[in-house]
Amino acid sequence: MDGSSGQAALDAVENISGDEPTAAVVWLHGLGADGHDFEPLVPWLDWPGAPSIRYVFPHAPVRPVTVNGGMQMRAWYDIRGINIDRDQDEQGIDASVAQAEALVTRERQRGIEASRIILAGFSQGGAVAIQCALRYPEKLAGLVALSTYMLQEQRIEVERHGSNQGLPVFFGHGAADPIVPVQLGRQAVSKLEGLGHPVEWREYPMQHSVCPEEIADLAAWLQKRF
């Protein structure tokens, strides 16, 4: 997969936790949101002695989304039916995976080692982050998957890159999620573990969102990665 294969570079919000960053987190938002959605969490992900981290929050392209009546909104790919974990828009998924890969590669070009870069995503953005992280051709620091699910199960077994065999994963999900049922999260975790990934699975008493406990757990996990 070539992150520069004709895909336009995504606009992104950037937040740097200190001077001269030595680590980066590329974080993909959910359907209908934008890059500002998770920006307020950055101060809550800090810890004593933390390195300077550049958080990159890209804006997904605007496209019609079939399940929302064809309404134009920011989306990483079209959702054409109620079974959200089915590969309904392969072209859109592949394009977004390539654009996410290009953002990771840009961090490499800015001087951040691949082993100091984490891919993160929420919901639809998390589904893309999983695909991108497992395919990336250099060893990353980790993968964060929040309230999300697995796409392209058969393809990822063939197309995943050996460099990220065993990539550690933080996976958080709301037990009462009405948008992405928690069972889809559990199925994704089983798949990732079956592929050899150590997964820290956390389930929270919430719906399709994040909560303070989840952010605290994520900060502790980031500290171990960095």
Side-chain angles (χ1 to χ4, degrees):
M1 182 179 54
D2 180 2
S4 61
S5 56
Q7 295 296 330
L10 294 173
D11 290 332
V13 178
E14 294 190 2
N15 189 312
I16 302 175
S17 64
D19 297 329
E20 299 181 6
T22 61
V25 177
V26 177
W27 195 319
L28 310 183
H29 62 76
L31 177 68
D34 64 19
H36 294 286
D37 200 30
F38 289 99
E39 188 182 12
L41 297 184
V42 170
W44 300 97
L45 295 172
D46 199 13
W47 63 88
S52 176
I53 302 171
R54 180 188 292 115
Y55 289 88
V56 180
F57 301 102
H59 302 299
V62 174
R63 71 181 81 220
V65 176
T66 302
V67 294
N68 288 341
M71 185 181 301
Q72 295 271 348
M73 62 183 63
R74 292 199 181 276
W76 298 107
Y77 49 88
D78 187 20
I79 297 178
R80 296 174 180 154
I82 59 173
N83 295 319
I84 58 174
D85 59 325
R86 299 280 70 84
D87 303 341
Q88 305 175 73
D89 177 17
E90 291 288 333
Q91 185 176 0
I93 293 166
D94 290 349
S96 287
V97 169
Q99 288 175 314
E101 181 187 353
L103 288 173
V104 175
T105 300
R106 186 179 69 169
E107 292 308 302
R108 295 285 294 108
Q109 294 167 347
R110 292 161 120 179
I112 307 294
E113 294 295 327
S115 61
R116 302 280 290 171
I117 300 173
I118 284 175
L119 256 167
F122 176 82
S123 193
Q124 195 188 50
V128 171
I130 292 170
Q131 298 302 313
C132 184
L134 270 57
R135 287 178 168 91
Y136 197 74
E138 292 183 283
K139 180 70 171 180
L140 300 172
L143 165 66
V144 175
L146 305 179
S147 302
T148 192
Y149 48 93
M150 175 74 80
L151 294 167
Q152 301 180 333
E153 288 194 20
Q154 287 72 38
R155 282 182 56 189
I156 199 63
E157 289 188 24
V158 176
E159 297 177 11
R160 63 196 176 110
H161 199 282
S163 294
N164 280 295
Q165 178 80 26
L167 183 72
V169 181
F170 179 91
F171 208 121
H173 212 115
D177 191 332
I179 307 297
V180 181
V182 68
Q183 185 59 31
L184 291 183
R186 294 175 185 149
Q187 290 171 3
V189 168
S190 294
K191 184 67 176 182
L192 288 166
E193 289 178 336
L195 294 174
H197 296 274
V199 181
E200 184 170 321
W201 166 255
R202 298 282 183 165
E203 202 169 308
Y204 303 94
M206 64 180 184
Q207 296 191 357
H208 195 60
S209 60
V210 296
C211 65
E213 183 184 358
E214 182 177 35
I215 299 310
D217 290 341
L218 177 54
W221 184 86
L222 289 174
Q223 185 173 358
K224 288 185 286 187
R225 304 281 77 75
F226 289 148

